[in-house]
Amino acid sequence: MNETPQPDPYVPPSAPEEPPPASPEKVKRVATVFAVTVIVISALIFFSVLKHAKAPREPKPIDSNFKGKPAPDFALKDLSGRTVHLSDYRGKAVVLNFWASWCAPCKAEMPWFVELQKQYGPQGLAIVGVSLDDDATPEQIAKFVQRMNVNYTILLGKDDTAKLYGGVDALPTTFYIDRNGTLLDVTMGLPSEREEIEDNVKRTLASGKTSQISPAASTAASVGGDQH
């Protein structure tokens, strides 16, 4: 008589082996790498924000010690490669505007400068924009200026130039220089309306000696400063 086969007894599956605990040295090494990574990323974000923070919404006065003193002269290249000195504009009322293409308030006021240069250029106004773009090539700046239909002189700025004018801690920063080369006023940030800039332009035109440049020559000089 055949015996009925008995089923094999149930054997539960064995639990997976637990990985050995990490050594204190490995834990410390991983924690150090993580901390360094966080610090590096935080630093990159901080410096990126800091660079693009030069754009206050409201205009603020700069150190009053600037007012009434001669505007520091400089020599910078324009977009055609020509060297331009601030002293070249002696006899004209100069609006010296420090700006950058990444600065939204700078772009917002550019059309106002275009209108003011067109309106007051024949009276002796010379608007001079000094680009403080660190990451843009002259060719890129020229294309940007062309898109903005800028009709006034654009110069390629340097850190040394900004330092001459107090470091230019925020953009846009605009200096108003009379016909004698004297600093009349300085503002920082985007004005709430075009008329605020125009009032400063009128005061600058009225200050200092009368320009010896004829209206025809003044108009020609203004056209010669176009960056198209």
Side-chain angles (χ1 to χ4, degrees):
M1 176 174 162
N2 295 331
E3 294 182 359
T4 303
Q6 297 296 320
D8 295 333
Y10 172 75
V11 178
S14 59
E17 295 183 3
E18 292 289 338
S23 65
E25 291 78 9
K26 184 176 181 180
V27 172
K28 183 178 180 180
R29 186 165 58 251
V30 171
T32 301
V33 171
F34 177 76
V36 170
T37 302
V38 170
I39 292 173
V40 170
I41 293 175
S42 300
L44 291 174
I45 293 174
F46 172 78
F47 285 113
S48 176
V49 172
L50 181 65
K51 175 183 175 181
H52 293 83
K54 292 186 173 184
R57 293 183 180 274
E58 296 297 331
K60 299 177 182 178
I62 306 297
D63 188 351
S64 59
N65 290 333
F66 275 97
K67 297 180 183 180
K69 293 185 177 180
D73 199 6
F74 54 72
L76 297 174
K77 298 286 187 180
D78 66 10
L79 294 178
S80 66
R82 179 174 63 98
T83 299
V84 177
H85 299 81
L86 178 64
S87 55
D88 296 339
Y89 294 94
R90 192 61 54 87
K92 284 180 167 286
V94 177
V95 175
L96 185 65
N97 174 248
F98 287 88
W99 67 283
S101 60
W102 49 259
C103 167
C106 301
K107 289 185 279 190
E109 68 181 2
M110 273 184 161
W112 296 344
F113 287 138
V114 169
E115 295 172 1
L116 292 168
Q117 180 62 60
K118 190 180 300 183
Q119 182 177 353
Y120 293 99
Q123 299 180 33
L125 175 67
I127 297 177
V128 179
V130 178
S131 168
L132 295 182
D133 278 281
D134 295 329
D135 302 327
T137 65
E139 292 75 19
Q140 291 172 327
I141 296 172
K143 289 180 180 179
F144 173 83
V145 167
Q146 188 173 19
R147 288 199 306 270
M148 297 296 292
N149 297 313
V150 171
N151 61 349
Y152 52 89
T153 299
I154 296 294
L155 304 178
L156 302 175
K158 300 177 181 178
D159 288 340
D160 289 345
T161 310
K163 289 177 182 176
L164 288 174
Y165 285 81
V168 185
D169 294 327
L171 296 178
T173 293
T174 304
F175 294 82
Y176 295 89
I177 304 167
D178 73 9
R179 300 177 190 270
N180 293 325
T182 302
L183 283 164
L184 292 183
D185 206 353
V186 192
T187 59
M188 180 174 64
L190 177 67
S192 58
E193 54 187 15
R194 173 185 180 273
E195 285 69 24
E196 292 183 36
I197 301 177
E198 187 171 13
D199 288 343
N200 284 327
V201 165
K202 290 178 179 178
R203 289 194 299 107
T204 307
L205 283 167
S207 178
K209 66 182 179 182
T210 303
S211 174
Q212 300 300 316
I213 302 175
S214 66
S218 177
T219 302
S222 175
V223 172
D226 290 1
Q227 301 296 329
H228 297 287

